[in-house]
Amino acid sequence: MLELLETPALLLDLERLDSNIRRMRNKLAPFNVTLRPHVKTHKSLEVTERLFADGRGPITVSTLREADFFFAAGFTDILYGVGIAPNKFAHAARLIEQGAALKLVLDNLDSARLLADFARANGAVFEVLLEVDCDGHRSGIPPHSPLLVEIARLLQGSGVTVSGVMTHAGNSYDSRSIGEIEAYARQERAAVVDAARLLEEAGFALSIISIGSTPTALFTQDLSGITEVRAGVFAFFDLVMAGLGVCQVQDIAVSVLTTVIGHQPEKGWTIVDAGWMALSRDRGTAKQAVDQGYGIVCDLAGQPIGDLIVTAANQEHGIIVSRSGSLDPASALPVGTQLRILPNHACATSAQHGGYHVLTEGRRLGYWSRIAGW
Ligand SMILES: Cc1ncc(COP(=O)(O)O)c(C=O)c1O
């Protein structure tokens, strides 16, 4: 069946997807928290439905386009996890008017003032989470900053309610050991719990204390004071997560199907028809202990072949080499051979494709489309 697909094509292994979802659900089960999965990795209705055993639970989105799409499909409790820009206020207000329990994120007085002005001028209501910086990764308010209360006070009476705090332990992706991931998880929890305490002591009642990154979610030991966990890439996993020790290479659920189109024997190169347009430019493993180039090369069954990696990528050409030079590419991989490339970063590679050819037990089950854009 796979032999009939025109390449490059994105494959999704259903057994691996389901097993990854089970692992996250089992990990969180002993804690009193809700999973609010981040749909930005897969941007697929079918994958999102598989994330919830029953019904349509709360989700995190990375674009209002995703919010529109998933709201239309019946997901109402939606956290837009990127700081809100003024040009999106009207779009967010529209979704809320239509019945979405949409939550916005902000981390500064200017955004708060602009949103409050918009709410007053338009008679709109918004629910926001204040973003807390737990590790210096990018945005957010330091957990002990008086700014948290200042923003909450500024919003009072404007139609904008602060219903919680959220943070994302992005620096956990740079961990060099599981011990470091565990430390980031402790830091992530402490940051939002401390920030929430500050706001509650100032008289603000919060219902959402939200954390989440795949590494910290899978290795946390304490979620006291936390109401929900957002995680995204766990559903697919990728080589960056495998390099961190968060998953095994065999857990990675997405791969790019490609075909050998030629060789440069004197250089030890095999040329395939998947370049960076199919694999993405992401080189996330470059800073890890083992640099996987543009991805690990597998056979049609999804098993890595020796020490083959995609070492370079042009727009539509990928160059495969054996790291040790031990494999003779021309005889091992004749023209026409189909291969599967495991991605560095599942979100980035998936974003290069319109959808997934879904496999179950190695057979093609169907095609699940993805949404794109903003
Ligand atoms: C705000 C926010 N929440 C949650 C996540 C999920 O992180 P991960 O994909 O590591 O699970 C991300 C990822 O970028 C994020 O930006």
Side-chain angles (χ1 to χ4, degrees), residues 24 36 38 40-41 60-62 79-82 105 131 137-138 166-170 172-173 211-217 230-234 241 345 347:
M24 181 61 82
R36 182 190 284 281
H38 207 316
K40 75 185 182 109
T41 301
T60 314
V61 298
S62 62
L79 166 60
Y80 171 46
V82 180
V105 165
E131 182 169 8
H137 179 66
R138 50 174 192 222
M166 59 82 76
T167 194
H168 166 64
S172 67
Y173 303 149
I211 58 164
S213 76
T214 286
T216 53
R230 307 177 320 277
V233 79
F234 74 91
M241 289 295 134
H345 184 179
C347 311

Side-chain angles (χ1 to χ4, degrees), residues 12-295:
L12 172 59
D13 184 312
L14 207 53
E15 283 77 28
R16 292 184 186 191
L17 170 70
D18 286 345
S19 150
N20 296 340
I21 293 172
R22 261 195 315 277
R23 179 174 164 206
M24 181 61 82
R25 288 253 170 236
N26 290 343
K27 169 67 194 183
L28 297 181
F31 303 103
N32 184 24
V33 293
T34 302
L35 176 62
R36 182 190 284 281
H38 207 316
V39 302
K40 75 185 182 109
T41 301
H42 44 83
K43 302 197 189 218
S44 148
L45 178 57
E46 290 86 348
V47 173
T48 307
E49 284 175 335
R50 272 186 118 80
L51 281 158
F52 297 98
D54 41 11
R56 277 149 153 64
I59 57 171
T60 314
V61 298
S62 62
T63 64
L64 288 185
R65 167 96 183 85
E66 290 163 41
D68 286 338
F69 175 78
F70 286 100
F71 178 60
F75 291 87
T76 50
D77 185 349
I78 301 171
L79 166 60
Y80 171 46
V82 180
I84 189 69
N87 60 37
K88 298 181 184 120
F89 291 166
H91 188 164
R94 225 163 33 240
L95 271 163
I96 293 163
E97 255 169 49
Q98 288 164 10
L102 179 67
K103 286 122 186 113
L104 306 179
V105 165
L106 58 83
D107 73 350
N108 61 82
L109 278 168
D110 288 341
S111 296
R113 202 171 286 120
L114 290 165
L115 186 63
D117 290 347
F118 180 95
R120 281 201 190 88
N122 295 279
V125 292
F126 294 102
E127 205 183 317
V128 298
L129 305 190
L130 300 187
E131 182 169 8
V132 176
D133 179 8
C134 64
D135 59 7
H137 179 66
R138 50 174 192 222
S139 36
I141 303 164
H144 302 109
S145 168
L147 186 57
L148 289 158
V149 172
E150 219 180 310
I151 294 176
R153 290 209 173 112
L154 181 147
L155 293 172
Q156 269 181 321
S158 68
V160 184
T161 308
V162 176
S163 59
V165 286
M166 59 82 76
T167 194
H168 166 64
N171 272 6
S172 67
Y173 303 149
D174 298 328
S175 299
R176 281 152 305 168
S177 66
I178 297 301
E180 267 188 41
I181 295 175
E182 289 168 345
Y184 277 121
R186 286 193 292 276
Q187 191 174 304
E188 187 182 36
R189 187 198 77 86
V192 271
V193 167
D194 288 356
R197 189 174 306 124
L198 209 66
L199 284 158
E200 280 161 358
E201 282 169 3
F204 295 94
L206 306 182
S207 56
I208 300 178
I209 318 291
S210 178
I211 58 164
S213 76
T214 286
T216 53
L218 286 172
F219 289 94
T220 185
Q221 289 155 352
D222 176 14
L223 289 179
S224 46
I226 301 301
T227 65
E228 66 172 41
V229 173
R230 307 177 320 277
V233 79
F234 74 91
F236 286 177
F237 283 130
D238 53 28
L239 291 172
V240 166
M241 289 295 134
L244 283 172
V246 168
C247 69
Q248 303 295 312
V249 165
Q250 291 80 355
D251 297 325
I252 299 172
V254 276
S255 58
V256 173
L257 184 70
T258 185
T259 308
V260 175
I261 56 173
H263 301 93
Q264 296 291 335
E266 68 289 356
K267 296 178 182 152
W269 292 356
T270 294
I271 315 294
V272 291
D273 65 354
W276 56 257
M277 277 296 267
L279 301 171
S280 92
R281 268 264 175 237
D282 198 289
R283 290 277 294 105
T285 55
K287 57 185 178 188
Q288 294 188 325
V290 180
D291 181 347
Q292 307 286 16
Y294 286 86

Side-chain angles (χ1 to χ4, degrees), residues 267-270 297 307-311 319-325:
K267 296 178 182 152
W269 292 356
T270 294
V297 179
D307 60 356
L308 297 184
I309 58 165
V310 179
T311 191
I319 299 177
I320 291 177
V321 297
S322 155
R323 277 181 201 280
S324 58

